[in-house]
Structure formats: structure tokens, C-alpha cells
Amino acid sequence: MLCALAGLLYAPPGTAAPGAPADGPDPIDFAVVVDVSASIDEKALDLEAEAAALISQGEISERSRATVIGFGSAEKTGQQPVYEACPPTVVDTAGRQELSDCVKDLTDREEHRLGPGTDFPAALSQALERLAEGGPEGAPKVVFLLTDGKLDVRDSPSYGADPTSRQENARKRLDDLLAQARREKVQIWPLGFGNGIDRKALRDMAARGYRDGCADISDAKPRMRVVQGAADVDKALQETFAAARCAKVEQGGPGEGPGELRVTIPPLATDGSITVIKRDPRVTTTYYDPRGRKVPVEGTFDGSRFELSGQNSPVEALRVKDPLPGEWRVRVKMPDGRRDGPVTVRAIWQGVLRSFVSLEPSAPRPGEEVVVQMRMQTRRGVVISDPGQLAGVKVTARLSGDGFDPVDVVLRDDGKGPDERADDVRYTAGLRVPREASGKLELTGEMAAPGIRSDRRPFATRISLENPKVTAGVTLDGHTVHPGGRVTGTLTVRNNDSAPHTLRLELRDQGTASPARIDPSRVTVEPGARERVPFDLRFDADAAPGEAGGTIAVVDATDADRTLRTSFLAVTVEPEPTWWDRWWWAVALACGVLVVGAGVVAARVLYGRRRDSLHGLVVELRREGRSLGELRVRGSGVRSYHFAVEGPSSARPSLRRRNSGSDGTYRLWRRDGGLRLRTPGGREQAVPRGGAVPLDHGLELLVRGERAPSRDRRSGTAGRDSGSRPRPAGGTPRAGAGRATAGRGTTGRTAPGGRPGRGSGGHDPAF
């Protein structure tokens, strides 16, 4: 329950311990006060002990301190109202194991002789006493009260002589303790479950303790929460703890038996804890990051640091520093002999962001209107550029200095007033510097939102004189760069003084994401001069893609390092273009040429194949004008046709198709636009268009269906093919044959020289 609550025990904004590192989780000093009175059954008691164990497993900061207290009442000799199950323990690696072991003692009520009543004053007094003893310096103090009952000291003689006076005295004592908690800045978060609780009393405890522990966020104000049934305690307690710490909880999927559970960690998270409530210590788990990679249970991997604790306990937690955002998977394996059992996964996280502010002009005069801007980035220097990630954020700034009371202002990102553009995640406000300002100025920005906290690093400057000695401005000529590249800029300086001034160009608040440097970084300006000095902003080869964080500052080294100007580093690092990015157009052009060329080649090949194909031709054998038989060539790929004349001297010779190389075979093919015929004897000759080839024994061979030449197509005779069906001897010329067939005889006799006569002779006049 408390589980990963402790998963991210961070100090709220403005309460960081002095000297705490700005990029890590701040410590917290907390006490878990558990009701173990007689009204708690054994099952609920085990669940409460489990909740206390979750704290030790989910805590991140090794400087935090935890105390676990069980309480009941003292009604007779030998009984005590409070038992300190775990004394104040620093939650480092060894402390986590110690806490995991000692919380088990909460379930043994008889051994520690706790009475059956519910003594809230004794429990709260013990918690306040321990929280007042040392602890991390400056850390927030919190009490989590788990109970299913209401104040009941009617049988506790230490509060009076009779039940009525005992109850009244206990209430007065509780009032005093709540006032003490407020004075000592101790928050109280009660969590009640069941039907017998005193809601009013628990609500009163939350309201009368310290209320300002987590900035000005309504959900982070201590409040009472009630859950129906012990099974919901872990979820409710996690959410309660997250609210107390300005952290957030992501609910994962509960499951039964072996399988995978999933939970999402958002991009803003810089520290997180994935907590698995498995109840059976024998259940084993394996963790996978959003890229599907198994992560180690100890050590570093891909820029993240991991530490798993509680593997052999009912609750375990994987703490991750700088987690990869996205959906994480937890693979659950049940022990031998078990097929099911409830398992739950949740993630509690917080984003620790760096704030950096800009003041224009950087060295204002008393009474002058100035513009304050603030941006946020992660501790790696990644600028937050998605306004949706900062939904519900409250951004404020405080101007303080010599001679005036601090001035507070709320910054907005709504595109109104001095804010140039809405939703660009640059929070802006205007304010007037008090006329009483006389020396040093300090501007501090602060941002607060559920799950997010920011640092409070100040921007220091000083009041400027009426006539400043030096004025400066910075402009950049470009806003995108590749890793290892550069952006040019210009420093414009006017020296109004009678002495030379040396200025420095500095990069501030860069982080580690996009390291860069300025060249040249120092410029000396002579008295009365106005100069424009070009410079290069060079980025390292390992600069990460994304918007570069930080600011450019112009500092007057001659005037005690006075900051003359600051401006945000509005440069985006883009990945180095790949070979494809550089030459895609050439590849596309070449592909286009290849496609066109391939089309032309394919067309020529197709045309050539169609031109050379014999498909559709009819080879006919004749004698004295009478058809003796025919063969039709089939197949678009046929460019050489073989056949034979069987029984040429007989009364009924015939044609038969043969394979290449067979004896007595004729071969028909195309060449140079015409048909060629090779006889079995090897003699080769052209097949005349519209004529026949004479053979031995009074036979002749005709080929019908040949295309007419192109000039004939233009004259209207092209493409007429009467060879699709052979005409019987002496038949009538085909309709539409044109003048080429008009007046032709039907004798079928062969003209001198072996050429057929002009009779119909059965041949195709369109050949």
C-alpha cells in the first residue's frame, strides 16, 4: 500500500534540504502509524503490515528516514498503547532491508502487549516525538495514519476515572497534539477503512495539521480518505502518499496468475518506482522497458539506473532514475503448484525540473517595466516543449533586492500581454521594479504541478544607473543545427564609458543534452565605441536532438561581472542528415529514368516479340488449287515453326507438325520483316506476300494471315486477314477485300515462273 508511495518521496518545492543536489530526489522524514487494535482482524492486520513494508521497498532517496509505529491502548497493568515496530531508520540499501524485516512485528499484538482500544493521542505523540529527533535537515515531515476505527480510550485509566471523562480528556490531548503538529510543520494524512470510523475526527486531524507542505496545489493539501474494504487500501494509500509528495501514481493492470502486467511512465518523469504487490514471496518478476528490452535489477542501462528490492517479500519495487518514458511490462511467474493469485503493479513518479529565468532588461532602472520569462528543462537539459505535459502548472516568480519588499508575480503562457505566443511553454509576465530599489536584485522562478517540482535557482543582477556604462544585445542568425555544427550570431555593444570594457559571452543552464560553446567568448570594447561582433555557437558532436536548453548571457567582466543581457538559447539540434536525406532527390530522379528506360525496353521487347511471333498464321498445302490440309500456329512466343509434308507423292498428302531437328522438316520463321522458309534439304527462300511456294509433286505451300506492310495500313488495306478461316477452293472473294481482289479469276492455275495466277487459288490476297 504505502508501497511505491514512498516510491518517490520528494521534498515539495521550496523545502529542499540545504545543500541537496538539484538533480536528485530530496529526502523526507515520515512516520507510518498503524492501528493494530482489537477491531482489526488478522487479514486486515497482515495488509497493514504489507503497507508498511511497501514504504521501505519504494523509497528512492537514501537520505530519507522512516519510522513505523503500531498502536492500540493501555487498559490494564502490563499493557502499552504504542509499540515502535521500526525505530527511525535511514532508508539506504541496508535500511530498506531492516525496515522490510521489522514491519513483520506489527502482526504480533500479544507479544508487544497492546491493549484492544484505539489511542490516537498516544500514537500521534509518539510520531511527533520521533519526527522531532534529528532527521534530514530541512526535509518535510509527514504522518500517515492507518486506522479502521475511532477514538476509544474508555477503558484506559491514564485518561481519567470513568469512560466519559477519559474520552473527553483524550480529545483535549489530541487537540494539543494537532496544534503542536501545525507549529512543527508536520502534515497528517489519515486513511480510514471500514464502516466504523469517525469521519469527522479523521477529517479534523487532516485539517488541523500543517497544510502548506506541497506548494499551492489543492490536491496536495492533507485530507482524510476512506476506502471500503481492505483490498483497496494499497491503491488509496499510494495515491495519498503521491498527493502529499507532489508526485503522481500511474495505475497498472491487476492480474491473476502468470502473465504480463503493464504500466506507463510519462516523459516528464525523472525518478520513478515500479511496485509489484504479489503477496506470495515466491512469485518472481522480470522487467522490460518500453523498447521491449529486459532491464537489469541492479546497475545502469541505456542512461537509466536500476535497483530492485524486496524480491523475496510480498512486495517488491524497481526504482529507476531517469526512466525511459512509455509502457513498461512486468512478466510474472507463479511458483510451482500455483496457477493463479492476485498481482498488482503501479508506478509512482516525479519530475525534477530545472527552471531558468530571463529578465529584460537584465539590469533595469528603478521604476522601469521589465519582462520576466521562465522555461523548464529536465536535469539532462532537455527543454519541455509540449504544453500538455505541464497541464495544471502554476508558475510564479519573486523579485527581491535592496531597498524594497519582495514582489511576486504569476507567469502565464496564454499569448496575452508580454507573452508573445500561447502554448510555447515560455511563461511570461511583466512587472515594475520598485522605485525604492537601490542595489542588488534577485529573481527566482518556481513552478508547481502534480507530479512535478522545480528548483529555485535565482537570477542575480543589480539596479542600473540612469545612463548605463555599457549596453549589449545578442542575435542568432539561425535556429537549427546538426550535432557538431555551428550557428552564427552577432553581439551588438555600445560602450558609453570613458574606459574600455571587457565582455564575456556565457552559456548557462545547458545541462548535458546539447553541450555547446561560444567562440570568441571575450570581447573588449573601446571607450565610446559601438561594435557588432560576430561569434560562433558550436555544438558538440554528441549533442542530443531536440531544443537546446539554457540561455546566452552577456557579462561585463570590467564591472564586477554585471549581467548586461540574457536571452533563451532558441536553437534546435536536428539529427545529422543521412545519405538518403541528402540524395533522395537524385535517387528518385534516377529511379524515374530507370522506370522510363525499363518501360521503353519492355515495350521494344514486347513489340519485337509480337513482331517476330508467328502466332495466328495458317500454313496450307495445295495441289492444283485444291486444299489438302492446313496447320495453325498457336502461341504468342512462337518465333520458329517446324512441320513436315507426309506422303507428298500420294493421292492425299498432309501436313504434320514436327520438332526441330526431325528428318524431312520444314522451318518457318521471320527475318527482316518477312517470312522465310527452309526446306528439308537446307534450301532457304523467302515466302512471297500474297503468293505460294512451289514444292515437288505438284504441291504448293501458302501462308495465310500475314500482316500487310505499314504503307498498306495507311491506304486502308492494313490488317485485313482472311487467314483466320481457310476458304474452300473456288470460293468467293471475302467481302471488303477491296480492289486488290476485284476481277480475279478462279482457275487457280500457276503462272509461268512458279508464281500463282490471279485466280482465287485459295490463297489470302491480304498476305
Side-chain angles (χ1 to χ4, degrees), residues 72-159:
S73 65
E75 299 180 356
K76 58 185 178 180
T77 303
Q79 289 183 339
Q80 60 184 29
V82 172
Y83 168 63
E84 200 166 272
C86 303
T89 305
V90 176
V91 192
D92 54 16
T93 304
R96 275 191 287 269
Q97 184 58 51
E98 183 178 342
L99 288 165
S100 180
D101 294 336
C102 65
V103 295
K104 299 174 184 177
D105 287 345
L106 286 171
T107 61
D108 196 343
R109 288 179 284 203
E110 293 185 3
E111 179 182 348
H112 304 295
R113 305 184 63 81
L114 296 174
T118 307
D119 192 341
F120 288 144
L124 183 56
S125 175
Q126 182 77 11
L128 294 178
E129 188 70 24
R130 292 296 177 254
L131 292 175
E133 295 177 353
E137 184 180 358
K141 302 179 184 297
V142 183
V143 171
F144 294 96
L145 174 63
L146 282 67
T147 180
D148 76 337
K150 55 185 176 181
L151 177 65
D152 183 7
V153 293
R154 290 172 297 177
D155 296 325
S156 299
S158 62
Y159 284 103

Side-chain angles (χ1 to χ4, degrees), residues 277-292:
I277 304 171
K278 54 188 182 180
R279 294 185 170 86
D280 188 339
R282 297 173 300 167
V283 173
T284 59
T285 56
T286 308
Y287 298 83
Y288 297 86
D289 71 10
R291 296 178 183 172

Side-chain angles (χ1 to χ4, degrees), residues 264-269 290-291 322-328:
T264 300
I265 296 180
L268 280 178
R291 296 178 183 172
D322 296 321
L324 189 67
E327 186 179 68
W328 288 70

